[in-house]
């Protein structure tokens, strides 16, 4: 996970401030109906992207006290932001 993936997931769910797991799940269910491959606006690609975004955000909410700005992300997930240093 990098910040761009995280930011894309936040944008997909339209999160502007803090959210709860319950609220995230409600948004996921609503969007999954919209993007389901059997629906007119749906596609398998968009549906899978939605699922991946949901999983990423749910894990983030479950694991951390959170806010959705870049500095907070770097502070809470330093391993992902400093991955270039792993090979040293």
């Amino acid at each position: 996970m990098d910040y761009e993936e995280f930011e894309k997931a936040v944008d997909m769910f339209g999160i502007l401030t803090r959210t709860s797991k319950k609220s995230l799940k409600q948004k996921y269910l609503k969007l999954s109906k919209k993007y389901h491959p059997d629906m007119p606006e749906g596609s398998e690609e968009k549906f899978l992207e939605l699922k991946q975004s949901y999983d990423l955000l749910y894990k983030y909410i479950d694991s951390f006290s959170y806010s959705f700005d870049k500095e907070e992300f770097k502070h809470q997930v330093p391993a992902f932001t400093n991955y270039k240093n792993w090979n040293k």
Side-chain angles (χ1 to χ4, degrees), residues 15-32:
I15 298 171
L16 300 175
T17 59
R18 295 176 185 260
T19 190
S20 66
K21 290 195 294 186
K22 182 178 179 180
S23 175
L24 181 66
K25 185 174 182 176
Q26 289 172 341
K27 288 180 182 185
Y28 170 70
L29 293 174
K30 182 178 179 180
L31 289 171
S32 66

Side-chain angles (χ1 to χ4, degrees), residues 71-86:
E71 291 308 311
E72 184 66 23
F73 176 85
K74 286 180 179 180
H75 176 71
Q76 292 186 27
V77 192
F80 291 113
T81 56
N82 296 322
Y83 70 91
K84 294 175 185 170
N85 297 332
W86 290 353

Side-chain angles (χ1 to χ4, degrees), residues 3-86:
Y3 187 73
E4 286 76 29
E5 289 174 323
F6 177 76
E7 195 171 47
K8 187 176 179 181
V10 169
D11 288 342
M12 177 174 265
F13 280 88
I15 298 171
L16 300 175
T17 59
R18 295 176 185 260
T19 190
S20 66
K21 290 195 294 186
K22 182 178 179 180
S23 175
L24 181 66
K25 185 174 182 176
Q26 289 172 341
K27 288 180 182 185
Y28 170 70
L29 293 174
K30 182 178 179 180
L31 289 171
S32 66
K33 289 177 186 175
K34 178 178 179 179
Y35 294 125
H36 192 275
D38 294 340
M39 300 303 284
E41 293 183 56
S43 73
E44 189 170 334
E45 181 181 324
K46 192 71 170 177
F47 190 70
L48 291 174
E49 183 181 339
L50 176 67
K51 175 65 173 143
Q52 291 170 345
S53 295
Y54 174 74
D55 290 343
L56 185 148
L57 292 174
Y58 194 86
K59 181 179 177 184
Y60 188 69
I61 289 171
D62 209 25
S63 301
F64 302 99
S65 63
Y66 58 92
S67 69
F68 292 102
D69 62 36
K70 191 170 188 171
E71 291 308 311
E72 184 66 23
F73 176 85
K74 286 180 179 180
H75 176 71
Q76 292 186 27
V77 192
F80 291 113
T81 56
N82 296 322
Y83 70 91
K84 294 175 185 170
N85 297 332
W86 290 353

